[in-house]
Amino acid sequence: MTEVKTQVKVLLDAGWEVYTADEVRLEHEAETRRMQPPKGQRTKLSVDRKKTSQSFFGALSLTSKKVKPYPIEGNQNTEQTILALERLQRETEAGEIAVVLDNARFHHAKALTALHEPGQLLERITPVFLPPYAPDHNPVEHVWNAAKNNIANIQHETPEETFGAFASYIASRTFDYDFEHLPLRETRNDFVS
């Protein structure tokens, strides 16, 4: 992690725009609640039990502290990562961009890494990879946790409302997270009474 922190600091000092990026998946499922019908009437309760999910690719800027969330169509894969990175590159004014990614297999796919070469689609983006098994060190992971916690206890009628509340929470805030200032992780010890 020390090597990644040093590399990111050097890039920021040199005027690069540095993002930390990752994918997240949200689920919406109907919730059944207990109800008491008027006396003499039978209970009739219909609930849509269909579970729906939506994935997002998000990039947290270490300079503006804002997150750019991009909905992912279908599964999280190399193709969707390329589309999100290409859009991020288009929307970033800085000439040189670094994106810190985890070690998901599709982040290392040849189809993606070849696009970072000069003259290719993602030539302005330089990938920086976190060490293996270090997801808690990626600042954008803490943004996902904060957003999920914010909408966790609010039952929305439709999946669109759930996913919209998540995206709205992220878009309306700045997150002062970087590699040196991550929120403390909640520790839970179920074995101590």
Side-chain angles (χ1 to χ4, degrees):
M1 252 337 277
T2 304
E3 186 178 314
V4 171
K5 289 178 185 179
T6 303
Q7 186 178 2
V8 166
K9 183 175 181 346
V10 167
L11 293 171
L12 286 169
D13 290 345
W16 286 51
E17 181 65 55
V18 179
Y19 293 97
T20 64
D22 200 20
E23 297 82 13
V24 65
R25 183 171 161 228
L26 294 175
E27 292 184 349
H28 173 87
E29 184 175 16
E31 183 176 305
T32 305
R33 298 182 185 207
R34 194 175 272 205
M35 63 180 280
Q36 182 68 40
K39 190 173 184 175
Q41 293 183 7
R42 293 187 60 142
T43 304
K44 185 174 182 181
L45 182 65
S46 63
V47 177
D48 180 12
R49 293 264 184 219
K50 184 178 175 188
K51 187 185 283 188
T52 308
S53 65
Q54 172 69 56
S55 293
F56 290 88
F57 178 91
L60 169 63
S61 168
L62 295 183
T63 53
S64 72
K65 308 295 184 187
K66 297 289 281 179
V67 176
K68 295 183 179 194
Y70 304 117
I72 293 175
E73 299 297 325
N75 295 326
Q76 300 173 10
N77 57 31
T78 302
E79 180 182 331
Q80 293 299 318
T81 302
I82 291 169
L83 292 172
L85 288 173
E86 193 274 327
R87 185 170 167 193
L88 178 68
Q89 179 178 258
R90 253 185 300 124
E91 294 176 359
T92 302
E93 293 178 12
E96 297 174 302
I97 306 165
V99 178
V100 180
L101 298 162
D102 62 17
N103 282 286
R105 179 175 284 151
F106 52 86
H107 291 162
H108 291 280
K110 289 179 185 177
L112 176 58
T113 56
L115 294 177
H116 296 294
E117 299 296 323
Q120 297 298 315
L121 181 66
L122 302 174
E123 67 181 342
R124 289 178 39 221
I125 295 179
T126 300
V128 176
F129 293 100
L130 290 169
Y133 310 108
D136 286 346
H137 295 286
N138 189 342
V140 78
E141 289 285 356
H142 298 276
V143 172
W144 299 147
N145 290 341
K148 283 181 173 182
N149 287 339
N150 179 265
I151 66 167
N153 293 323
I154 303 168
Q155 179 68 27
H156 296 282
E157 292 287 325
T158 64
E160 292 76 21
E161 288 176 12
T162 300
F163 307 143
F166 178 81
S168 175
Y169 178 85
I170 290 170
S172 66
R173 287 170 174 67
T174 58
F175 298 91
D176 196 16
Y177 303 155
D178 57 31
F179 292 103
E180 303 302 325
H181 304 95
L182 292 175
L184 293 175
R185 189 167 179 197
E186 289 183 29
T187 56
R188 204 172 128 192
N189 193 343
D190 293 335
F191 300 111
V192 178
S193 24

